[in-house]
Amino acid sequence: MQERLIRVLIVDDHPLVRLGLTALLEVCDDLELAGEAKNGKEAVELAEQLQPDVILMDLIMPIMDGVTATRIIRQKLPHIQVVVLTSSIDFELIQKAQDAGAYSYMFKNVTIDMLANTIRAAVLL
Amino acid sequence: MKEQEESEPKTSPRELELADFVENAVVSLHWIGVDGKIIWANQAELDLLGYTREEYIGHNIAEFHVDHDVIEEMLRRLTSGENLSNYEARLRCKDGSIKQVLISSNGLFEDEQFIHTRCFTIDITHRKQAEDRINLLYLLTAALSEALTPEQVAKVIVEQAIAMSGASAGSIVLLTPDKTQLEILISINYAKQLTDEWHRFSVDSPAPLAESVRTEQPVWLRNREEFGARIPLTDERPLKINQAWAAIPLIVEKRCIGALGLSFLTDQIFDDDERAFIVALAQQCAQALERARLSEDARDLAVSEERKHLARDLHDSVSQSLFSIHVLAQTVPRLWEKDSQQAQEQLKQLATIAQAAMSEMRTLLLELRPSSLVKASLQDLVTQLITVAQAQQAVTISCHIELEQALPEDVHVTLYRIIQESLNNLVKHSQATQGSITLIQEGDHLTLRIRDNGCGFNLTEESAGLGLGIMRERAATIGAAFEVVSKVGLGTEIFVIWPLPL
């Protein structure tokens, strides 16, 4: 019997990043795209609506940033894991995201294997 | 007796009075004979220069003039019958100092034979010095206005201070931020060994500069004795380099920031005028240094702001595109195994994103070199922006630019900025699939029109954060009208109308 696919919500304001991450999910048989959000506010709404397993969360975004969205999602929907994926080198910001309840963080130079494995590890929690 | 008195040439009381008048007048007077020798000089003249009667009278006047060509010219003109009025000259005193004087003179002739000169000499040394110093302070203000860095300011001040005060060397030291040390900002004419040794020294050091900073008062050491009495000397520091010292604190808004130091090879008097002048110089110096420091701070701040801006731009654009390329490139081999057709499509997409990343990079470089932004054609600039936008969003954007004349720089840049911001909005918010940009001349005005078929927005509620206010302000700076037409579900249209100059 095939295991259930891991459903991933992609949150990033940059369309090309969403495009790349979507392509990544497509080549991983156990991962599935649940939806895409352009900012933290959309992420909170879609998390509730789509109930993904894991959220790939950017930090610096318009309207609502990733740290705020992570905090709200982890409070409201503690069963959803948040993995931060950022190009920021602001370690204070990354610490804030972890304090807000993010499972892990990765920089935007990560290999796709590492990224996929981190998503898989997050759901085992 | 009476007869004898009468037989001698009689000196009348009137003549005695006259003799007394010239002999004891406060104005310096002398006669010079045809051979250039001094025949007679009054007491005022001897007092002025400090010589005894024997040391002066009978000597050639040229011995006492600093500038030989000046006295030769004066004598030539006097013996040829000219009158000289307020002729500037420099005389050497017995103590070696030099007096600036004005000489008025004419010749006494008998039967067209030159007998002697009648010279009136006025000492203008002080006046001249005061004039020179005022001129110097003016020159200094002008020079300082061009000095941008603290080092440039310090160089101007020390050079001028040396030139005007007759010092042999000078330096400026500044307090370190913790106020415990003094550091040489500039030093002129001191031996390297000395400046190396005193490159940085404690405020508590036994040195005139340190003392002036500690006490916030000028230190005047007129000779070796005063120096030795104040500053303990060791054998390693022989006093051969200077005889006298002046050290003036540099004070800005009641805060001491350092000191100006001057060394002299000869003993100095440091009279009130001289002290006032050197203190005025130090005040100018302190203020100019503070100005230079503030403007340096402002420049640093501007550079740091610009770097932050660039870092943000890099974060927002190129680094995101590169990440996308990085992920897509890694997925291609796996996708190839599953679906080679789709993998080929993805490779094409990769090429498009890479091209867009290069356009983004070029756009950023244009921001770093605004002169290139002005030189590039609007057509090229807009094409570059469209390449980036189309790679980020599944949208096709057409562009039609038709200009009959070159635009003024500010109009060119403003239109570019408005198009740039509009395309940003289109990519980020509109979800449009079609867009168009037209810039054409219509009668007496230029019309820029940017359209998309995206989701649109409610002008009253949702337009915050779209930068419409900034676009409107930009348009206003070139005197253009700005209008946005948008409705939820019905796309967005932006108009900029610029009246052509008559």
Side-chain angles (χ1 to χ4, degrees):
Chain A
M1 181 187 127
Q2 183 158 10
E3 279 188 50
R4 194 176 71 83
L5 301 180
I6 300 169
R7 300 176 66 248
V8 180
L9 173 65
I10 295 169
V11 186
D12 201 300
D13 61 328
H14 206 281
L16 288 183
V17 173
R18 297 200 300 272
L19 180 83
L21 293 175
T22 307
L24 159 72
L25 297 180
E26 273 172 28
V27 296
C28 295
D29 292 334
D30 57 337
L31 307 180
E32 184 186 35
L33 177 70
E36 295 178 37
K38 296 199 293 286
N39 57 58
K41 185 164 170 275
E42 279 186 22
V44 173
E45 288 163 7
L46 289 180
E48 240 170 330
Q49 197 182 317
L50 303 171
Q51 294 290 325
D53 300 299
V54 177
I55 297 175
L56 277 182
M57 181 77 80
D58 188 18
L59 290 183
I60 303 167
M61 290 181 292
I63 302 175
M64 184 192 287
D65 64 76
V67 173
T68 309
T70 300
R71 189 176 302 117
I72 295 172
I73 291 167
R74 293 291 297 153
Q75 276 170 4
K76 277 189 174 173
L77 310 159
H79 55 284
I80 299 177
Q81 295 299 332
V82 175
V83 173
V84 166
L85 181 61
T86 181
S87 56
S88 171
I89 45 166
D90 180 349
F91 285 89
E92 266 180 51
L93 187 68
I94 291 162
Q95 186 58 50
K96 278 184 194 163
Q98 289 190 295
D99 295 345
Y103 162 72
S104 178
Y105 67 89
M106 281 173 297
F107 296 112
K108 282 179 177 169
N109 59 2
V110 68
T111 62
I112 58 167
D113 287 332
M114 176 102 164
L115 191 57
N117 285 335
T118 307
I119 293 171
R120 290 173 189 128
V123 290
L124 293 178
L125 208 69
Chain B
M1 264 308 266
K2 208 176 179 182
E3 280 176 3
Q4 206 179 349
E5 271 178 12
E6 277 171 359
S7 66
E8 281 189 0
K10 190 181 173 191
T11 309
S12 71
R14 180 96 185 109
E15 282 171 324
L16 282 172
E17 253 178 45
L18 211 57
D20 170 76
F21 175 71
V22 294
E23 194 59 48
N24 298 315
V26 287
V27 177
S28 308
L29 305 169
H30 68 254
W31 297 348
I32 299 166
V34 69
D35 53 1
K37 282 190 178 151
I38 302 162
I39 301 169
W40 168 83
N42 71 353
Q43 193 56 45
E45 176 127 347
L46 295 171
D47 291 345
L48 172 71
L49 302 176
Y51 298 101
T52 61
R53 204 165 289 275
E54 293 71 36
E55 287 165 337
Y56 197 59
I57 292 166
H59 288 257
N60 196 303
I61 188 67
E63 289 174 35
F64 306 99
H65 274 263
V66 177
D67 310 294
H68 283 207
D69 49 338
V70 171
I71 181 63
E72 276 168 24
E73 174 69 6
M74 285 173 73
L75 289 175
R76 189 192 62 74
R77 287 166 68 171
L78 287 168
T79 49
S80 65
E82 259 187 76
N83 285 358
L84 297 182
S85 176
N86 291 332
Y87 205 95
E88 273 196 40
R90 295 192 298 164
L91 299 178
R92 187 174 287 110
C93 303
K94 190 180 175 184
D95 65 5
S97 65
I98 289 165
K99 295 266 194 234
Q100 286 274 353
V101 294
L102 288 180
I103 299 172
S104 295
S105 183
N106 59 3
L108 170 70
F109 290 82
E110 274 177 15
D111 300 331
E112 294 183 1
Q113 280 288 308
F114 174 82
I115 306 297
H116 64 72
T117 66
R118 309 183 189 101
C119 296
F120 290 69
T121 304
I122 300 168
D123 179 11
I124 57 160
T125 309
H126 274 74
R127 196 176 89 196
K128 192 85 184 155
Q129 235 169 28
E131 274 174 17
D132 284 352
R133 284 171 179 173
I134 288 167
N135 282 339
L136 175 81
L137 287 175
Y138 280 133
L139 282 177
L140 200 62
T141 309
L144 286 176
S145 69
E146 286 170 21
L148 297 174
T149 65
E151 287 77 11
Q152 287 170 334
V153 167
K155 187 164 182 285
V156 170
I157 298 265
V158 176
E159 279 175 355
Q160 295 301 327
I162 288 176
M164 274 316 292
S165 65
S168 60
S171 67
I172 285 175
V173 293
L174 292 182
L175 262 174
T176 52
D178 63 5
K179 301 195 188 309
T180 62
Q181 306 265 309
L182 289 165
E183 235 173 18
I184 292 184
L185 175 61
I186 192 151
S187 124
I188 293 180
N189 289 352
Y190 287 111
K192 189 178 176 301
Q193 193 195 342
L194 197 74
T195 28
D196 286 350
E197 188 190 336
W198 289 85
H199 170 67
R200 187 184 247 258
F201 55 99
S202 166
V203 175
D204 299 322
S205 305
L209 283 170
E211 187 182 325
S212 74
V213 170
R214 282 198 304 275
T215 59
E216 299 193 0
Q217 293 294 324
V219 173
W220 309 101
L221 303 173
R222 292 177 293 182
N223 49 49
R224 272 174 195 240
E225 287 68 39
E226 286 191 7
F227 194 107
R230 198 76 153 263
I231 313 291
L233 293 166
T234 62
D235 289 344
E236 294 89 56
R237 279 177 53 204
L239 244 189
K240 63 184 174 193
I241 49 136
N242 47 31
Q243 286 277 8
W245 253 96
I248 325 300
L250 301 174
I251 293 172
V252 183
E253 287 166 3
K254 297 179 184 167
R255 196 163 44 83
C256 182
I257 59 167
L260 164 70
L262 295 171
S263 301
F264 298 81
L265 286 174
T266 53
D267 288 357
Q268 297 294 308
I269 298 160
F270 292 136
D271 61 25
D272 288 350
D273 285 353
E274 199 154 5
R275 288 183 189 207
F277 169 70
I278 295 175
V279 168
L281 209 62
Q283 275 166 359
Q284 281 251 16
C285 176
Q287 276 157 16
L289 281 176
E290 184 68 0
R291 269 199 308 276
R293 192 184 64 76
L294 288 176
S295 83
E296 248 187 6
D297 283 357
R299 265 197 305 281
D300 286 352
L301 192 69
V303 168
S304 129
E305 278 303 308
E306 203 172 302
R307 284 195 186 138
K308 267 192 215 162
H309 191 85
L310 185 65
R312 201 165 52 233
D313 283 352
L314 278 169
H315 170 267
D316 286 350
S317 60
V318 187
S319 82
Q320 309 296 336
S321 304
L322 285 176
F323 174 67
S324 178
I325 292 167
H326 166 72
V327 171
L328 286 171
Q330 290 178 83
T331 61
V332 169
R334 293 184 204 184
L335 193 57
W336 204 280
E337 286 171 14
K338 291 168 85 174
D339 183 346
S340 64
Q341 188 70 37
Q342 207 190 332
Q344 283 187 29
E345 285 303 314
Q346 193 148 310
L347 274 177
K348 280 186 200 162
Q349 201 168 26
L350 258 175
T352 309
I353 298 172
Q355 193 197 4
M358 286 188 290
S359 294
E360 281 175 329
M361 202 68 201
R362 283 170 55 84
T363 309
L364 276 184
L365 289 175
L366 281 175
E367 299 299 328
L368 287 181
R369 290 183 60 189
S371 62
S372 310
L373 187 63
V374 173
K375 282 177 197 151
S377 79
L378 259 183
Q379 179 76 56
D380 288 347
L381 291 171
V382 174
T383 304
Q384 200 163 285
L385 292 176
I386 289 174
T387 307
V388 176
Q390 290 185 152
Q392 293 181 352
Q393 167 97 359
V395 61
T396 310
I397 303 165
S398 66
C399 172
H400 177 69
I401 294 179
E402 211 177 295
L403 294 172
E404 289 169 24
Q405 60 199 70
L407 298 176
E409 278 183 15
D410 56 340
V411 177
H412 173 92
V413 172
T414 301
L415 295 178
Y416 169 72
R417 294 274 179 235
I418 290 174
I419 295 169
Q420 188 178 33
E421 192 61 34
S422 302
L423 288 180
N424 264 344
N425 286 339
L426 188 150
V427 168
K428 281 191 176 165
H429 309 287
S430 77
Q431 296 160 25
T433 56
Q434 298 279 324
S436 72
I437 297 168
T438 56
L439 178 61
I440 48 170
Q441 190 170 326
E442 291 176 325
D444 59 355
H445 60 272
L446 208 63
T447 304
L448 169 66
R449 187 169 174 219
I450 306 162
R451 278 171 86 177
D452 70 59
N453 66 347
C455 59
F457 54 89
N458 189 330
L459 270 174
T460 51
E461 288 169 20
E462 296 168 31
S463 54
L466 296 180
L468 295 177
I470 293 171
M471 284 195 254
R472 191 183 302 279
E473 276 170 29
R474 285 192 196 280
T477 60
I478 55 165
F482 178 87
E483 181 124 22
V484 187
V485 180
S486 187
K487 257 188 186 162
V488 176
L490 291 174
T492 302
E493 198 161 7
I494 287 173
F495 291 95
V496 179
I497 295 159
W498 181 66
L500 287 162
L502 295 173

